[in-house]
Amino acid sequence: MQSGEKKDDMIKARQLKVGLRVLRYCLNRVRPFEVAAQLWNTCDQRCIYCRCPEVKTELMTTEQWCRVLRELRRLGTIRIKFQGGEPTLKPDFPEICWEARKLGMITSTVTNGMRTSANPELLDPLMEVVVSLDSLRPDINDHMRGPGAFKGAMKTIDLSLGKGIKTYVNMALCQINLEDLEALLTFCERRGMKMNAQPIKFGVVYYDDEARPFALTPSQIREFHLQMIEWKKRGRGIMFSASSFQKALDWPDLTRNNIRCRGNSDCMAGKFYFHIDPNGDVIPCIPHGADLAPKNILKDGLYEALRQVRYHNCGDCWSPYLNERKALFRLRPEAIIEFFKRG
């Protein structure tokens, strides 16, 4: 059997496993199928638009994180994505990742590639790696992220692909690198990777308002989403379905990230998808606009924190990433097809 056929068989087996686990736990009151775990805010870079390292917070210990992972697995968690800051800098990152992997979760991380390029063993417990890369022009990429960022990201891509890990690229889009969009997409396609590009949004806790002059205008954001829809329909290597970009294109006011609703939201964030802050607070997602006082895992218990966040009043948003998750958990055909294509 050829290596490509083996890879396809592995993908099909994983998708079957995911489907069976969803069916097993779908009737539970709390269903944390996908969890974003923000390990800390510390980072070795200072992106021009990001203030994450400046946001101070308490940190859960290694044992507390491992205990949370074991509880999440009992509740049916399928995929966990480790975030920061830069999560791979955290001394206990390998231990936490291996614990999740041993529990049978799909392990993923978002990284700038600086740490992993020098320490390839950090990639070993991971099944998916999302590398932050904003331009194929080293000077532009490093201007946006910091010295050495381009070199670190490119080496991590090579290492991750070499280890057979599903590898993706995430591009933060602004005035500085807008012209680099198609070149980066072509690079990803040639390497067999899917790419996500997203305009930098402000009015969110981790984004630096002083960088607003770099933001795309509403008309540029609409043109970008039109382009993504066109490329997706042509079969190019874009993550997410065309309908998720169409939702963003149809959003009436791009100066607003989200809108509140009356009563409880029907958003999938807080029902099937959850975000855990470094201190153990549980929220629907980072950019949520809910009037919500989160409960804390350490103080209130994981189950209670997950149960409480099901009820919030963030009604809708324009983020293609989040809308793809909503569509997938609502079993929309286009999102399911995209899920199977991604593997």
Side-chain angles (χ1 to χ4, degrees):
M1 182 181 292
Q2 300 297 317
S3 60
E5 293 175 338
K6 288 183 180 179
K7 187 175 180 181
D8 288 343
D9 287 344
M10 290 174 61
I11 289 172
K12 291 175 182 177
R14 189 173 81 168
Q15 291 168 335
L16 178 61
K17 184 177 179 180
V18 168
L20 291 174
R21 196 178 292 183
V22 169
L23 290 174
R24 178 180 177 184
Y25 293 96
C26 67
L27 297 180
N28 287 3
R29 191 176 184 187
V30 171
R31 295 157 288 187
F33 290 137
E34 185 171 7
V35 174
Q38 188 171 347
L39 297 181
W40 67 354
N41 296 338
T42 301
C43 190
D44 51 357
Q45 293 181 350
R46 183 59 166 87
C47 300
I48 58 174
Y49 49 83
C50 178
R51 58 182 293 271
C52 189
E54 300 170 8
V55 180
K56 304 303 179 184
T57 183
E58 298 294 324
L59 299 179
M60 289 199 292
T61 66
T62 308
E63 177 51 40
Q64 287 167 339
W65 270 115
C66 288
R67 185 169 66 246
V68 167
L69 290 172
R70 291 190 289 269
E71 292 182 51
L72 285 171
R73 177 60 185 88
R74 284 195 291 270
L75 293 170
T77 297
I78 297 167
R79 179 176 183 262
I80 187 157
K81 180 171 69 175
F82 297 107
Q83 300 179 172
E86 173 53 44
T88 63
L89 285 173
K90 201 167 187 292
D92 57 0
F93 176 79
E95 185 175 347
I96 293 171
C97 283
W98 277 118
E99 181 68 18
R101 182 72 180 263
K102 287 187 293 185
L103 290 167
M105 298 180 190
I106 297 171
T107 50
S108 176
T109 199
V110 181
T111 179
N112 59 39
M114 297 283 284
R115 177 76 168 165
T116 47
S117 65
N119 301 272
E121 68 278 4
L122 292 172
L123 298 170
D124 291 342
L126 297 166
M127 301 171 72
E128 299 174 353
V129 172
V130 181
V131 180
S132 299
L133 180 65
D134 294 336
S135 174
L136 290 179
R137 293 182 287 168
D139 58 328
I140 296 298
N141 188 81
D142 289 7
H143 174 63
M144 290 182 63
R145 293 192 164 271
F150 179 81
K151 184 178 179 181
M154 294 296 279
K155 186 173 180 181
T156 290
I157 287 171
D158 288 341
L159 290 167
S160 183
L161 290 173
K163 289 175 179 287
I165 300 170
K166 290 187 67 64
T167 308
Y168 305 92
V169 164
N170 186 68
M171 179 186 193
L173 207 59
C174 66
Q175 297 291 347
I176 296 174
N177 66 339
L178 181 58
E179 65 183 81
D180 300 326
L181 178 63
E182 186 166 15
L184 188 53
L185 173 59
T186 301
F187 165 79
C188 291
E189 290 170 332
R190 288 173 178 168
R191 300 300 305 273
M193 300 181 293
K194 290 289 183 74
M195 187 186 89
N196 175 46
Q198 54 190 28
I200 298 169
K201 295 190 296 182
F202 293 92
V204 181
V205 64
Y206 294 113
Y207 285 86
D208 190 344
D209 277 343
E210 291 186 7
R212 279 185 183 270
F214 298 117
L216 300 183
T217 65
S219 62
Q220 286 175 318
I221 294 174
R222 294 192 192 283
E223 289 172 7
F224 159 73
H225 287 132
L226 272 172
Q227 182 66 78
M228 297 295 270
I229 292 168
E230 179 188 339
W231 281 341
K232 189 66 184 181
K233 289 180 177 178
R234 284 163 47 189
R236 301 204 62 180
I238 302 291
M239 291 179 67
F240 316 138
S241 58
S243 60
S244 289
F245 292 108
Q246 186 67 51
K247 173 74 176 289
L249 182 64
D250 294 338
W251 190 255
D253 183 2
L254 288 168
T255 65
R256 299 178 63 188
N257 293 326
N258 41 52
I259 56 174
R260 293 184 180 180
C261 59
R262 295 181 180 179
N264 292 321
S265 174
D266 65 353
C267 180
M268 297 295 102
K271 294 180 175 63
F272 299 99
Y273 171 86
F274 298 82
H275 181 95
I276 301 176
D277 278 336
N279 67 347
D281 284 351
V282 177
I283 58 176
C285 65
I286 285 181
H288 79 85
D291 181 18
L292 175 73
K295 290 199 172 182
N296 182 274
I297 293 170
L298 303 182
K299 296 176 182 177
D300 306 296
L302 175 65
Y303 188 88
E304 179 57 24
L306 294 172
R307 189 200 64 79
Q308 186 256 4
V309 82
R310 294 174 61 207
Y311 308 104
H312 62 83
N313 63 344
C314 186
D316 206 359
C317 65
W318 63 267
S319 166
Y321 170 82
L322 292 172
N323 279 300
E324 187 79 3
R325 265 106 194 103
K326 295 176 195 175
L328 181 61
F329 287 121
R330 285 174 177 146
L331 302 180
R332 301 280 171 80
E334 65 274 16
I336 294 173
I337 292 170
E338 185 64 26
F339 167 75
F340 279 99
K341 286 182 178 179
R342 283 199 308 270

